[in-house]
Amino acid sequence: METINDRLQWIVNEKFDGNKAAFAKAIGIVPTSISNYLGKQRASKPSVDMIAKIVNVLNVDARCLLTGEETAKVEQVLTHGDFSPASIHGDAVNGNMDIAVLQEKVKHLEELLAEKERLISVLMERK
């Protein structure tokens, strides 16, 4: 899985049997926007907010999602968790997560993204 969009598609396929609408609903975004990330024509990169939702709601390892490193760990993490309709709608998912915890996770994701961009720049300079 080379791109973050490939990894998003993998999550949709593995946890939601390819159901993009169920994936969107689980992470709290409009189902029609999923085609912006998973469409072959114009696959946009997901926002930090969307990545944070995926990491927090679906218990996906942020480093694996962002960089593709430790793909086996993503698979291991994704095999755990309750994605039943009741869970997706609130009670079983961390619905009461403290805002400070979320802000810290978003900060960590931003740092990971910055590091990824730095590494890309270094690799591009070597070419």
Side-chain angles (χ1 to χ4, degrees):
M1 296 180 282
E2 293 191 17
T3 69
I4 191 166
N5 301 78
D6 293 335
R7 292 183 288 277
L8 290 176
Q9 184 65 58
W10 186 85
I11 291 169
V12 171
N13 293 341
E14 289 296 311
K15 291 310 290 177
F16 300 95
D17 295 322
N19 186 331
K20 295 174 187 174
F23 171 72
K25 193 171 194 174
I27 61 171
I29 65 171
V30 181
T32 55
S33 68
I34 289 299
S35 61
N36 294 333
Y37 305 105
L38 302 180
K40 298 292 181 192
Q41 296 273 14
R42 48 177 197 169
S44 302
K45 299 296 180 212
S47 68
V48 172
D49 291 338
M50 182 176 167
I51 292 170
K53 288 178 183 182
I54 293 167
V55 168
N56 290 318
V57 174
L58 302 180
N59 260 347
V60 174
D61 182 89
R63 179 176 296 272
C64 296
L65 179 60
L66 292 171
T67 67
E69 294 175 12
E70 302 178 22
T71 306
K73 189 172 183 180
V74 172
E75 191 170 330
Q76 178 185 353
V77 170
L78 285 176
T79 58
H80 304 309
D82 180 6
F83 295 96
S84 66
S87 170
I88 291 169
H89 294 300
D91 297 329
V93 176
N94 296 332
N96 296 325
M97 186 174 284
D98 187 77
I99 192 72
V101 172
L102 287 174
Q103 288 173 331
E104 185 62 33
K105 288 186 178 203
V106 167
K107 180 181 173 188
H108 179 69
L109 286 170
E110 288 171 339
E111 290 168 357
L112 286 172
L113 283 170
E115 177 64 10
K116 179 182 176 187
E117 292 301 318
R118 187 191 69 76
L119 289 172
I120 289 170
S121 295
V122 168
L123 291 172
M124 294 304 286
E125 289 174 5
R126 291 182 182 173
K127 287 187 173 184

